[in-house]
Amino acid sequence: MPTDLSVEAWVALDEDIGGELVDGQLVEEEVASLAHELVVSWLIRILGAWIVPRGGFVLGSETKLIISPRRGRKPDVLLFFGNSPRQPSSSSSSSALDFADIVIEVITATPRDQRRDRVEKKADYAALRVGQYWLVDPEARTLEVLALDSNGRFLEVLAAAEGIHPIPGCTDLSLDLDALWAEVDRGTAFLAAARTHETDG
């Protein structure tokens, strides 16, 4: 495999070759924990129920998002509004996109991944003019919603840890964070019980 990749070459990689593209280099993705995957699946389920009837759609973490000719990301969750004025550019691949209305990253509790999600990807998604960037931290149990302003900068419009919260800019969408963390606890307990059963067996 070439050590320096264009975004077109990255998009064309076999499905079993993971990683994001950063300055032409293939960079290993985070190792997702069970809590990470529980949050992603809950978000896809809840957000899909909200956006699909409105003509939009939600995609998961294998979707490649083109940032620039030598940069590409794979967000945990992406949302696209059905009435979005933005459309893929003529240069975008059929297996990758170069725009999104909302991008969500579920933070993994390592310094490298914290820096990548909070600093590096924040700059990438702002450069792509993504409308909103959400950060969900299953360890700290927090949700942050950042909205792009007219100057191309992300500003925090919501920060919460519990309760039910309407999402600014998303008509009739509220997230029940207590339900989200309860789902994480339920899934974690299920796995612990399954492991105990395997050990006892």
Side-chain angles (χ1 to χ4, degrees):
M1 181 188 304
T3 56
D4 191 79
L5 296 174
S6 67
V7 74
E8 292 82 9
W10 173 70
V11 169
L13 290 175
D14 290 339
E15 291 182 1
D16 59 348
I17 300 176
E20 296 182 315
L21 186 68
V22 179
D23 298 331
Q25 304 299 309
L26 194 62
V27 176
E28 182 180 351
E29 297 169 72
E30 63 193 356
V31 178
S33 65
L34 175 64
H36 180 287
E37 294 303 282
L38 287 165
V39 170
V40 169
S41 65
W42 187 90
L43 286 169
I44 289 176
R45 186 168 71 249
I46 297 300
L47 296 174
W50 171 73
I51 202 168
V52 170
R54 291 166 170 78
F57 55 99
V58 56
L59 296 176
S61 58
E62 288 307 305
T63 305
K64 292 182 175 180
L65 192 60
I66 298 170
I67 307 297
S68 71
R70 288 165 50 82
R71 205 168 186 90
R73 295 295 189 181
K74 295 170 68 177
D76 290 316
V77 183
L78 303 91
L79 275 77
F80 304 87
F81 298 146
N83 60 351
S84 174
R86 304 179 64 188
Q87 298 296 329
S89 73
S90 58
S91 61
S92 63
S93 163
S94 60
S95 58
L97 294 165
D98 59 5
F99 82 104
D101 292 301
I102 298 175
V103 165
I104 304 172
E105 295 287 359
V106 179
I107 295 174
T108 300
T110 66
R112 187 186 94 165
D113 292 321
Q114 290 264 353
R115 181 174 61 251
R116 178 161 48 186
D117 288 341
R118 293 189 178 280
V119 179
E120 298 170 11
K121 289 189 177 184
K122 180 181 176 183
D124 286 342
Y125 298 145
L128 201 62
R129 301 199 66 80
V130 169
Q132 288 191 359
Y133 181 31
W134 301 6
L135 295 127
V136 184
D137 188 334
E139 182 164 303
R141 300 206 163 186
T142 59
L143 165 69
E144 301 163 65
V145 176
L146 311 177
L148 198 70
D149 71 6
S150 58
N151 295 314
R153 297 174 299 185
F154 279 123
L155 300 179
E156 185 177 271
V157 295
L158 175 64
E162 58 187 17
I164 300 174
H165 298 273
I167 303 301
C170 298
T171 304
D172 297 329
L173 174 63
S174 294
L175 290 188
D176 185 342
L177 297 182
D178 296 329
L180 170 56
W181 309 136
E183 178 78 352
V184 172
D185 289 340
R186 187 177 71 88
T188 302
F190 173 82
L191 181 61
R195 285 175 174 163
T196 301
H197 178 74
E198 288 179 1
T199 302
D200 293 344

